[in-house]
Each structure stands twice: as C-alpha cells, then as structure tokens.
Amino acid sequence: MLKAVILIGGPQKGTRFRPLSLELPKPLFPVAGFPIIYHHIEACSKISSIKEVVLIGVYQPSEALNRFINATQREFSIAIRYLQEYATLGTAGGLYHFRDQLLSGQPEGFLVFNGDICCKFPLAEMLEFHKSATNKPHFTMLATEATRKQSVNYGCLVENADTHEVMHYVEKPETFVSTIINCGLYLLAPEIFKHIANVFQKNQSEIINGDPLFPTKDSIRFEQDVLSPLAGTGELFVYKTNNFWSQIKSAGSAIYANRLYLSLYHETHPDRLAQNSSNGPQIIGDVYIHPTAHVDPTATLGPNVTVGAGVTIGPGVRVRECMILEGAVLQDHCCILHSIIGWNSTVGAWSRVEGTPNDPNPNAPHAKVDSDALFNIEGKLNPSITILGDSVTVPPEVIILNAIVLPDKKMDGSFKNQILL
Ligand code: GTP
C-alpha cells in the first residue's frame, strides 16, 4: 500500500499568481478545465496501490477546498484528506510534523508531489524503476532535461549513468551543475523520516537566522536539507522523463500548462476536446468547453483555449491561447488573445484584450523557466499575458494590452502595459 502526499503551500506562497490567487487557493485554480491538483489526483487514481491522498498545506480549511475534496474523492473513489500546518513548515517540515498520520496503516512508501507541477505523471514507470533500483530502502526522484541556461533556476543533479544513483544535488545552483533538473515528484521509502528527523534535531539546536517565510525552527526544506545530503549515499536514485513537464508559478505559466494538458487530452480524454460541428462554433486546435458554457455558433475558438462553467461567448467572438474562467461574459465580436479572463468578468462588444506570449525556449520542450519577472530593470512591466481578475468590467470598443487588472475594476477606456488597481 502506498500513500500520495501533495504539498499545496499556503497563502504566503503563490504570490506570483496574483491577482488570480486572491479569490481561490492557487492549487484549486482550473487548468484545462480542472483544478491544478485534480490532475495529480487523477494520476494517483490510476495506481491501484495508492489508497490515500493527503494534501498538506498552510491554507485555512475553506468551503472551496472541502467541496473540491468531497467531489474528487467521490469521482475517483479514493480517500483524500487535508492536513493543515500551523505555520509554513517548508517542503519537508509538514511531512515530518504529520509523520504519525502518514505512517499509520504502515504504507510501503509515499509518492510526494509538489502541488504546482504540471506533467504527464509517469507514476507506473517510476514505481517500476524504483523497485528495480536496489533491494535496500531508498528514494527515487523524477527529473527531466533543461537547457544549460534554464537549469540553474531548478534543483540540478548529477547521476551515475549506469546505476541512476544521484551523486550530487544542488538546489538552484549559482553556477552550472547539470542539465538534469528535479521535477518535484518523489517516491520515498518510509525510512525518509529518519533523514528528516536528523535535520529536525539539528535545527532545534541551532539558531535560525530569519527567512521570514520560515519563521519556525520546525521548518525543513526537502531539497536543500534532505536531498543534497542524500546524494552519493547509495539511497537516492533518479528516474528521468522525456515527456512534458512544467511548473505553474505565474499566471503566464498557467496558460502554458493549459496548453500542455489540453494536448495530453488527445491521449487520455479525447472526449474533453471540443469538435467542429454544423451547429457549433469554429474550433481550431485544442479547445475545452465546459458543458454548461454557452458559445455562439459564429464564434471562433482556439488553439489552446479553455472555457469554464457558465461562460457566455457571443456572436463573432475570437478567442485564442486563453483561459476564460467560470461565469465570464464575452460580448459580440470581442477578441481575446493570450489572456486569462477572471471569474464573472465581462468584456464589452468589439473590445480587444490581448497579451504578449512569452513562449518557452523551443529547444527545451520538456521544461519551462518561469523566472520571468513582472518588471524589467527599467521598472516597466515585462511583456506578458493580460489577466483580468474576478468581476472586472471592460467596456465596449477599447483595447487592453499587456495589463493586469485587479478584481472588481470597472475600466473606462483603453490601457496598455499597466497594473490597474
Ligand atoms: P520557487 O521557485 O522559489 O517557488 O521554488 P520551488 O519551485 O522549489 O518551489 P517551492 O519549494 O517553494 O515549492 C514547491 C511546492 O511545495 C509548491 O507546490 C509549494 O506550494 C509547496 N510548498 C512550499 N513550501 C511549503 C510549505 O511550507 N508547506 C507546504 N505544505 N507546502 C509547501
């Protein structure tokens, strides 16, 4: 029996996701029609030995989180529960704090996921690899290839090419270490708790000088404090994937993840992809339309568009590379490109809402750097997607270009390269 753990962070994390995370915890933000961590749980549901999914985070329990847990455990017939940390304990501190609950039932191991990754989740292959690596208790991490330049933004590792043992691990190195990067998905034998306990004991005896995000001595970083020392001990192995992998940090990377999950639907859920029909809108490429959305047959959608529940899309509307969130209204002939339209927002007739794509390096299909700063060194907003927060109103016949608009704003004209409060 295995358990899955998804680290979902808390309100102090995910700041690059604002204003969208002001309304909803980031792990519940819908990508390709479903909450970010729904994709993790769906992958777990396909592995029969996973009997429970534990979400660990710092969010206050909320109606949205409870509703998600109840609906998802019903859908996949898998037990899901939420354990709340009393403070931000870091990527290993929560595991340690809740070790008794996690170890109850004596699982043989744990699949631990960073909540903000997006990938094909090769769980069956990883389990197979893990079993074959050695007979001693050990740990396996998922990794992928990045470019030299991208790699330093991630955890980098050096492997023994014959045994796939991890010989060296550095989190976000200052200089180049390796193009093999940590994907934030681990398969851990229960012995991992001994290693985390060693770090915990050491931390208790030291004065931790202030990272304000980790205000307690109980916080432990899995990557730096646990993985780095494990490298070269014969206990840590790497399973590499060539399939797509990305992190969802900023709203811009959610658009990219949306595209990746939509393309995966060809394999996993062709029924989720909209098709052209004589009485429906024109569909170009990969498009997901929630069954409760109303789309006028003269609209054109795609490629890479997700339309949420209860959305209304009027005649002649054009949408491309976008996420239109629940309850939004796109009035006649408006044009929406490279943007996220927030919940219940309205875009007036003949208006244009447009962002500038920041596509990943085409030479690195498996990874995407998301270090894009919001502002450049001159203090100007970097080109990026346009985001309308919750319940924003865009009047008819205006242009909104590369803008971030905070919730409830009633706009009264055209705007370009601005953050609108
Ligand atoms: P950044 O680029 O700085 O964001 O680093 P990173 O990509 O390594 O991410 P980070 O280690 O901050 O987080 C990885 C995952 O763990 C994310 O899904 C976070 O939400 C989650 N996480 C981070 N810190 C905590 C924590 O203190 N508690 C819990 N439960 N989850 C956390």
Side-chain angles (χ1 to χ4, degrees):
M1 187 267 276
L2 297 171
K3 289 191 185 184
V5 177
I6 308 178
L7 300 170
I8 64 169
Q12 299 97 323
K13 306 288 296 178
T15 50
R16 281 172 283 174
F17 211 67
R18 288 177 188 162
L20 298 165
S21 52
L22 295 173
E23 307 303 322
L24 190 71
K26 176 179 140 184
L28 300 186
F29 183 80
V31 172
F34 298 87
I36 293 175
I37 56 170
Y38 174 98
H39 298 280
H40 299 55
I41 298 172
E42 184 173 25
C44 290
S45 74
K46 304 220 165 80
I47 305 291
S48 59
S49 51
I50 300 181
K51 299 296 181 208
E52 185 181 30
V53 178
V54 181
L55 312 178
I56 299 185
V58 201
Y59 292 100
Q60 289 294 338
S62 62
E63 207 195 312
L65 193 55
N66 285 339
R67 220 181 313 122
F68 168 76
I69 290 174
N70 291 334
T72 313
Q73 63 183 357
R74 225 176 302 125
E75 179 175 350
F76 294 120
S77 307
I78 192 167
I80 306 175
R81 63 178 164 146
Y82 176 53
L83 300 176
Q84 187 193 0
E85 291 167 20
Y86 65 90
T88 308
L89 296 179
T91 42
L95 292 176
Y96 188 69
H97 185 73
F98 293 115
R99 61 195 179 282
D100 291 342
Q101 280 103 315
L102 293 174
L103 287 165
S104 79
Q106 297 177 320
E108 289 157 63
F110 301 89
L111 267 160
V112 178
F113 298 74
N114 280 0
D116 59 1
I117 56 170
C118 147
C119 72
K120 213 176 155 186
F121 297 116
L123 304 185
E125 297 89 325
M126 208 173 149
L127 274 162
E128 187 101 332
F129 167 83
H130 182 79
K131 278 189 206 142
S132 67
T134 166
N135 293 329
K136 288 188 246 151
H138 63 286
F139 320 108
T140 297
M141 56 194 292
L142 183 70
T144 192
E145 281 283 336
T147 61
R148 255 181 102 91
K149 190 164 162 239
Q150 288 176 336
S151 65
V152 291
N153 296 297
Y154 298 91
C156 296
L157 62 96
V158 178
E159 67 164 341
N160 173 326
D162 299 323
T163 61
H164 302 293
E165 187 194 338
V166 176
M167 304 310 294
H168 186 51
Y169 181 83
V170 191
E171 182 66 18
K172 300 191 182 78
E174 281 176 18
T175 54
F176 176 73
V177 170
S178 153
T179 51
I180 309 175
I181 61 165
N182 178 4
C183 290
L185 170 53
Y186 314 95
L187 183 44
L188 306 174
E191 283 72 13
I192 197 69
F193 288 104
K194 280 191 225 145
H195 295 279
I196 307 179
N198 290 341
V199 180
F200 182 83
Q201 300 306 344
K202 189 164 155 274
N203 284 356
Q204 298 308 302
S205 59
E206 280 178 6
I207 295 166
I208 297 180
N209 293 316
D211 179 344
L213 280 181
F214 296 111
T216 152
K217 280 186 175 190
D218 298 350
S219 61
I220 305 170
R221 303 162 304 177
F222 190 66
E223 301 80 358
Q224 294 93 329
D225 302 335
V226 182
L227 286 185
S228 285
L230 273 175
T233 64
E235 289 170 275
L236 182 61
F237 292 83
V238 55
Y239 175 74
K240 285 195 282 181
T241 177
N242 286 331
N243 261 305
F244 77 79
W245 175 85
S246 165
Q247 281 179 313
I248 305 176
K249 295 290 182 190
S250 64
S253 56
I255 292 252
Y256 181 65
N258 186 56
R259 192 194 301 178
L260 294 174
Y261 276 138
L262 288 178
S263 71
L264 184 62
Y265 287 167
H266 284 280
E267 239 176 88
T268 57
H269 290 285
D271 53 307
R272 288 185 187 163
L273 293 169
Q275 305 295 331
N276 281 300
S277 67
S278 54
N279 55 356
Q282 187 186 351
I283 303 294
I284 302 170
D286 299 343
V287 175
Y288 169 84
I289 303 174
H290 192 275
T292 60
H294 173 76
V295 185
D296 190 273
T298 60
T300 303
L301 310 182
N304 305 317
V305 168
T306 290
V307 176
V311 165
T312 305
I313 299 187
V317 168
R318 176 75 178 99
V319 187
R320 189 178 157 170
E321 301 284 350
C322 284
M323 297 158 85
I324 314 297
L325 304 184
E326 186 168 344
V329 177
L330 308 183
Q331 293 177 345
D332 311 7
H333 299 282
C334 67
C335 175
I336 320 284
L337 309 176
H338 302 285
S339 299
I340 298 179
I341 306 299
W343 302 272
N344 304 308
S345 288
T346 301
V347 179
W350 295 98
S351 278
R352 201 176 166 92
V353 176
E354 195 176 333
T356 308
N358 205 346
D359 275 346
N361 182 342
N363 298 324
H366 312 313
K368 155 124 173 68
V369 181
D370 193 46
S371 56
D372 329 343
L374 199 51
F375 298 97
N376 62 22
I377 38 173
E378 290 155 6
K380 293 200 179 124
L381 200 61
N382 268 331
S384 85
I385 63 158
T386 286
I387 306 162
L388 306 187
D390 184 38
S391 303
V392 168
T393 310
V394 175
E397 297 177 41
V398 298
I399 299 179
I400 312 295
L401 185 64
N402 296 340
I404 295 173
V405 186
L406 265 66
D408 300 313
K409 175 87 183 162
K410 296 210 175 351
M411 304 177 77
D412 54 7
S414 295
F415 291 92
K416 188 176 157 188
N417 299 333
Q418 281 185 49
I419 295 181
L420 297 158
L421 304 176

